[in-house]
């Protein structure tokens, strides 16, 4: 899933892996047992800091399970979330035993029967799935089968740079703000933060990613697709996208991507917000480490705004998970590892080692003081508000289907043109729907 801004991009700053480590072969059907010996190969796609934490994390597993040794393979430059490299490994008959996967990625592998369904193993070992947030379990399923055990979750929420609000003399918005208040706040901040002729600070930011614009479509009663039909040209969806892109092309209350060149070419939206150039924007809990590390920046959160008729916001929830290759020769060892990684013991260990960077998928741990006080007790209400957005109205991400990555490339390419005003929202939507209809028609 190529995105202008990846959900984990803030943390994924450099890591390396030996190419030789990617070539270990494991090909035969592992459904009937396993072959002993060798190391259990596990692929991840992590930045340097998280990779170091993961190495420490897996050492704890090996200490508790001395008969199982893990070979950790960090995929770098292997496509978004390592998906291109993983596809090559699977197609080449050398899949890893265990894979770190996420929403919009695992569905493709599951549809091609490259992942092991875990339902029977969960039932056999009486794993209590009710201990997890239901969104994490639902997010790990494809066509009603469980293909992963939850690792992390991410929803989206509006982060406010309260330092900029104070500087501009603009009051913080209420928790029940709507689209018009969202727009008015973005325009007012932009006006008051820029005293010269050149605009260097903006009220808000448009991220060219479905997790940024889909909440507006869904909240307004629209759909991205239904079955094999693209729905973005329907009135409610089209109006929502026109509002979203209008924050830039009509109101000039958000920057063009080119205006953020000084913040780098990778994850410039993150850097611009953390660098004090943006008043508020839709991000996920993955942003909190950067906020905490950024000196001189105070922050708060607000829900995604209500719709123009006061509709409750509808937002996506992404799930990172651990999956097992359908052809592993070491199914039992792979399941022992995956089960531990997603157990209370494993998730608590990860929380201790790496902190609550995203939403811990097990309810009891997320509701603990350790998670809720992340960033200091002064942000407990903000962290609680993030959890308050885990409601029955949550949706799986728009990319959560077998050909979702292809669809995302399509709409990212078209909408980036709309963001800079080189074509109208209607023109972009028409092109997206033409291509999306073809993609949905090939859905397995």
């Amino acid at each position: 899933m190529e995105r202008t801004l990846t959900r984990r991009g803030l943390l994924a700053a450099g890591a390396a892996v030996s190419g030789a480590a990617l070539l270990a072969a494991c090909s035969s059907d592992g459904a009937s047992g396993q072959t002993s010996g060798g190391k259990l190969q596990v692929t991840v796609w992590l930045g340097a800091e998280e990779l170091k934490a993961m190495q420490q994390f897996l050492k704890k597993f090996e200490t508790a399970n001395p008969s199982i040794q893990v070979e950790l393979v960090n995929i770098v430059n292997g496509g978004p979330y390592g998906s291109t490299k993983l596809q090559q490994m699977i197609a080449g008959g050398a899949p890893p035993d265990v894979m770190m996967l996420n929403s919009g990625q695992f569905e493709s592998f599951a549809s091609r029967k490259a992942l092991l369904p875990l339902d029977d193993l969960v039932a056999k070992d009486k794993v209590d799935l009710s201990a997890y947030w239901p969104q994490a379990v639902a997010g790990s399923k494809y066509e009603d089968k469980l293909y992963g055990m939850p690792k992390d979750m991410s929803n989206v929420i509006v982060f406010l740079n309260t330092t900029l609000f104070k500087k501009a003399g603009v009051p913080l918005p209420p928790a029940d703000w709507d689209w018009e208040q969202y727009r008015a706040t973005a325009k007012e901040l932009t006006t008051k933060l820029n005293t010269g002729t050149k605009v260097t600070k903006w009220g808000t930011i448009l991220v060219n990613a479905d997790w940024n614009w889909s909440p507006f479509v869904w909240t307004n009663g629209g759909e991205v697709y239904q079955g094999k039909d693209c729905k973005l040209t329907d009135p409610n969806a089209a109006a929502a996208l026109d509002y979203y892109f209008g924050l830039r092309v009509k109101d000039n209350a958000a920057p063009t991507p080119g205006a953020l060149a000084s913040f780098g070419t990778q994850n410039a939206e993150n850097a611009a917000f953390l660098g004090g150039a943006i008043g508020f924007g839709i991000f996920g809990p993955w942003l909190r480490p950067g906020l905490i590390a950024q000196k001189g920046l105070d922050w708060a959160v607000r829900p995604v705004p209500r719709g123009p008729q006061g509709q409750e916001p509808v937002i996506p929830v992404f799930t990172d998970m651990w999956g097992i290759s359908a052809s592993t020769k070491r199914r039992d060892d792979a399941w022992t590892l995956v089960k531990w990684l997603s157990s209370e013991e494993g998730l608590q260990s990860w929380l201790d080692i790496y902190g609550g960077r995203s939403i811990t998928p097990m309810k009891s741990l997320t509701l603990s003081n350790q998670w809720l006080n992340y960033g200091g007790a002064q942000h407990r209400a903000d962290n609680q508000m993030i959890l308050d957005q885990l409601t029955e109205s949550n949706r799986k991400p728009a990319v959560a289907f077998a050909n979702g990555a292809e669809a995302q490339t399509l709409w990212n390419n078209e909408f980036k043109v709309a963001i800079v005003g080189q074509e109208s929202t209607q023109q972009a939507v028409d092109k997206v729907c033409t291509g999306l209809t073809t993609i949905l028609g090939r859905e397995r």
Side-chain angles (χ1 to χ4, degrees):
M1 294 177 289
E2 291 291 358
R3 299 190 175 116
T4 302
L5 170 67
T6 62
R7 292 179 293 112
R8 304 174 66 90
L10 181 64
L11 306 176
V17 62
S18 166
L22 294 172
L23 302 178
C26 40
S27 57
S28 68
D29 185 357
S32 60
Q34 74 175 62
T35 300
S36 60
K39 291 186 176 182
L40 201 64
Q41 190 180 64
V42 178
T43 52
V44 296
W45 26 267
L46 304 174
E49 182 186 358
E50 191 171 359
L51 177 62
K52 184 178 179 180
M54 183 61 65
Q55 291 166 337
Q56 182 182 351
F57 183 42
L58 290 174
K59 284 293 182 186
K60 295 194 71 170
F61 169 79
E62 290 180 329
T63 299
N65 299 271
S67 65
I68 304 175
Q69 297 298 301
V70 176
E71 176 190 9
L72 185 63
V73 176
N74 192 38
I75 299 176
V76 179
N77 299 324
Y81 308 106
S83 58
T84 303
K85 187 62 187 182
L86 267 179
Q87 183 62 54
Q88 292 171 353
M89 295 171 74
I90 292 169
D97 300 290
V98 173
M99 300 165 247
M100 181 177 161
L101 301 165
N102 67 355
S103 303
Q105 177 196 58
F106 87 96
E107 295 91 348
S108 175
F109 297 138
S111 73
R112 291 158 175 79
K113 302 188 185 304
L115 297 179
L116 182 71
L118 303 181
D119 304 85
D120 290 345
L121 294 170
V122 165
K124 175 177 175 289
D125 287 355
K126 296 182 172 58
V127 177
D128 182 12
L129 295 180
S130 69
Y132 302 94
W133 291 98
Q135 293 89 340
V137 176
S140 302
K141 289 184 175 183
Y142 176 75
E143 294 185 345
D144 295 325
K145 289 185 178 181
L146 187 72
Y147 285 97
M149 290 297 292
K151 176 187 180 294
D152 287 308
M153 298 165 55
S154 293
N155 57 7
V156 295
I157 199 163
V158 181
F159 281 85
L160 315 174
N161 181 332
T162 58
T163 302
L164 277 187
F165 272 82
K166 185 180 294 186
K167 179 180 179 181
V170 176
L172 297 181
D176 61 348
W177 59 341
D178 58 19
W179 284 14
E180 187 51 43
Q181 290 170 300
Y182 191 90
R183 178 172 179 256
T185 304
K187 292 171 66 176
E188 184 180 10
L189 272 173
T190 304
T191 298
K192 291 186 174 180
L193 287 171
N194 296 280
T195 55
T197 57
K198 184 177 180 181
V199 177
T200 59
K201 298 182 188 297
W202 296 266
T204 191
I205 190 163
L206 307 188
V207 179
N208 185 23
D210 49 272
W211 49 264
N212 229 251
W213 52 257
S214 65
F216 292 96
V217 171
W218 292 334
T219 297
N220 203 41
E223 293 290 343
V224 180
Y225 58 85
Q226 281 185 333
K228 297 186 183 298
D229 298 322
C230 175
K231 292 295 191 179
L232 287 175
T233 55
D234 288 359
N236 289 343
L241 290 172
D242 194 55
Y243 166 86
Y244 179 78
F245 294 124
L247 293 166
R248 218 297 302 162
V249 298
K250 296 177 184 177
D251 302 327
N252 292 312
T256 63
L260 303 178
S262 62
F263 292 97
T265 57
Q266 294 294 319
N267 303 305
E269 293 92 342
N270 264 345
F273 185 84
L274 296 173
I278 308 296
F280 63 88
I282 297 176
F283 299 99
W286 66 82
L287 190 68
R288 296 182 303 166
L291 292 169
I292 293 163
Q294 190 71 32
K295 294 181 179 179
L297 188 159
D298 198 9
W299 58 279
V301 301
R302 293 292 185 272
V304 171
R306 292 174 176 269
Q309 279 78 51
Q311 304 101 312
E312 289 281 348
V314 181
I315 62 174
V317 176
F318 289 81
T319 305
D320 290 349
M321 68 205 73
W322 298 104
I324 298 175
S325 169
S327 58
T328 179
K329 295 179 180 179
R330 304 186 62 187
R331 188 196 65 176
D332 296 345
D333 286 349
W335 171 239
T336 298
L337 172 61
V338 166
K339 185 170 58 171
W340 182 87
L341 292 172
S342 296
S343 68
E344 183 174 5
E345 178 187 359
L347 290 170
Q348 179 63 65
S349 295
W350 183 243
L351 197 57
D352 293 339
I353 293 169
Y354 194 60
R357 306 301 179 96
S358 292
I359 300 175
T360 304
M362 189 166 283
K363 284 184 182 179
S364 60
L365 299 182
T366 320
L367 296 173
S368 68
N369 288 334
Q370 187 176 9
W371 196 94
L372 286 170
N373 286 341
Y374 188 82
Q378 70 272 25
H379 286 297
R380 186 180 182 92
D382 297 308
N383 294 327
Q384 181 63 59
M385 190 174 288
I386 292 171
L387 297 187
D388 289 344
Q389 305 315 297
L390 294 174
T391 70
E392 292 183 359
S393 65
N394 293 152
R395 299 281 296 269
K396 285 188 176 183
V399 293
F401 63 101
N403 295 327
E406 185 182 358
Q408 187 179 55
T409 298
L410 166 72
W411 59 55
N412 281 4
N413 287 340
E414 294 300 333
F415 288 156
K416 70 181 178 183
V417 181
I419 284 177
V420 298
Q422 292 181 354
E423 65 182 23
S424 69
T425 300
Q426 188 61 54
Q427 289 172 320
V429 166
D430 287 343
K431 290 180 180 179
V432 169
C433 267
T434 297
L436 185 56
T437 298
T438 301
I439 292 169
L440 292 168
R442 296 198 304 268
E443 177 73 0
R444 297 189 179 190

